[in-house]
Amino acid sequence: MAAPRAVWKGFMKVGSVSCGVKMIAATSEASKVHFKILNRQDGLPVKSAYVDEQTGEPVGPEDQVKGFETDKEDFIQIEPDEIKALKLTSEHTLEIDGFVPVSEIDTRYLEKPYYLIPADGASAEAFNILREAMKSKGVAARSCVVLYQRGREVLIQPLGMGMLLTELRNHNEMTSEAAVFQDLKKAQYDPDLLEIAALLIDKKATKFDPSKFEDRYEDALIAMIEAKRKGKKPPKAAPKPRENVIDLAEVLRKSLAKEGIAAKPRTGRKRKSA
């Protein structure tokens, strides 16, 4: 099996310590179902093309150029060489700006993962020392890298014999939770129901094992394609779940019964505020 191709090569630098590193994509969509767009009339694939908005004529790759809209239909053309001329340091170097405790990482900002490994044997010693020092301190490194001509904030953490580099979302991409939660009221809840829910959680406690995850939509898609291939009717759609719970206490108790747990009788305690 061929080694995965590096998507970026450069140096990781902390103060005066540096080592050569390579980034390898940690995700792949090769196993996903992919569709082609067909012409409904003859069933043949169609191709996408860039066309001039005014003339409708196709524009070849040699005539395509990036443009930034400064006003409505007023653009500044940006040539590829002008972008390359910026020569950001982060294009070739992961300059470590600081270290943050792993416990303080806000997982909402984590986006796309990559594996980070030494570029060669000569880089392995410094790489391993940095990884083990970060591991012993329970910290992740913050840096920036240029990928596909865009600067990206990243977080680097120890992982096994290598490291995990994760692209971060920008703060201005995130919706504030305060804006979303502002209309939620302080809830009143029955302590008995809280106890029943806790018992149900304990019964279903498990380990985080991504190998057991199922993409039910993907599975249904494959089943539908297979049925059409064999000339059969597609599988029936799953019924919609109930939208509202009428009696939460009864639903929770039935859930416990399915798990073989006997619910305690209700004590009539007062509701508490959440």
Side-chain angles (χ1 to χ4, degrees):
M1 181 177 178
R5 185 174 62 86
V7 298
W8 184 91
K9 294 180 181 180
F11 294 88
M12 181 168 60
K13 188 171 185 294
V14 185
S16 58
V17 178
S18 66
C19 59
V21 292
K22 295 191 291 188
M23 284 171 54
I24 312 290
T27 60
S28 170
E29 295 195 354
S31 62
K32 292 283 186 183
V33 172
H34 296 279
F35 292 106
K36 283 192 172 183
I37 303 300
L38 308 179
N39 183 336
R40 189 186 293 275
Q41 302 301 319
D42 58 18
L44 296 176
V46 299
K47 295 181 179 180
S48 59
Y50 286 100
V51 298
D52 189 289
E53 286 188 358
Q54 288 189 345
T55 66
E57 294 295 321
V59 179
E62 68 281 0
D63 292 320
Q64 296 171 15
V65 63
K66 294 181 185 295
F68 180 81
E69 191 169 14
T70 56
D71 204 349
K72 187 171 178 60
E73 298 185 358
D74 187 13
F75 297 90
I76 296 176
Q77 293 188 7
I78 308 295
E79 298 291 343
D81 289 342
E82 293 177 303
I83 294 176
K84 289 181 180 179
L86 297 175
K87 292 184 178 178
L88 298 175
T89 303
S90 50
E91 188 173 4
H92 304 291
T93 305
L94 284 167
E95 185 86 41
I96 304 302
D97 297 327
F99 296 93
V100 297
V102 171
S103 60
E104 293 182 7
I105 295 172
D106 188 336
T107 56
R108 293 175 299 172
Y109 287 85
L110 302 180
E111 189 166 24
K112 187 174 182 180
Y114 296 87
Y115 296 125
L116 197 65
I117 60 174
D120 48 43
S123 303
E125 183 178 20
F127 179 92
N128 292 336
I129 289 294
L130 288 173
R131 183 195 64 228
E132 292 305 309
M134 289 164 61
K135 186 176 179 180
S136 68
K137 290 291 185 179
V139 297
R142 199 195 68 77
S143 187
C144 177
V145 66
V146 173
L147 277 176
Y148 312 114
Q149 297 188 2
R150 291 193 72 104
R152 301 162 196 268
E153 294 291 324
V154 298
L155 203 65
I156 304 168
Q157 304 176 67
L159 180 68
M161 299 295 289
M163 296 194 200
L164 183 70
L165 179 148
T166 308
E167 285 183 29
L168 299 176
R169 296 182 176 92
N170 290 328
H171 185 66
N172 58 13
E173 293 179 286
M174 302 297 298
T175 300
S176 167
E177 71 275 13
V180 178
F181 299 162
Q182 62 182 349
D183 293 331
L184 298 180
K185 307 298 182 185
K186 194 170 185 179
Q188 298 287 321
Y189 64 86
D190 187 330
D192 287 328
L193 297 186
L194 182 64
E195 190 172 341
I196 292 173
L199 286 170
L200 188 59
I201 290 171
D202 288 341
K203 180 66 177 179
K204 288 187 171 291
T206 185
K207 292 183 178 180
F208 183 76
D209 184 0
S211 67
K212 299 292 193 295
F213 293 174
E214 292 182 49
D215 187 335
R216 296 182 182 180
Y217 172 75
E218 188 83 2
D219 292 343
L221 204 56
I222 292 171
M224 181 266 288
I225 292 170
E226 187 64 15
K228 287 178 74 71
R229 190 178 69 83
K230 294 180 178 179
K232 298 180 179 180
K233 291 183 178 180
K236 290 183 178 180
K240 290 184 179 180
R242 287 183 179 180
E243 292 185 5
N244 294 308
V245 175
I246 306 301
D247 186 343
L248 180 58
E250 184 62 22
V251 171
L252 284 172
R253 290 175 187 279
K254 283 182 178 179
S255 296
L256 281 183
K258 285 183 179 179
E259 297 297 330
I261 304 174
K264 295 181 181 179
R266 301 191 68 167
T267 61
R269 287 180 288 183
K270 293 181 179 179
R271 290 174 176 264
K272 291 185 178 181
S273 296

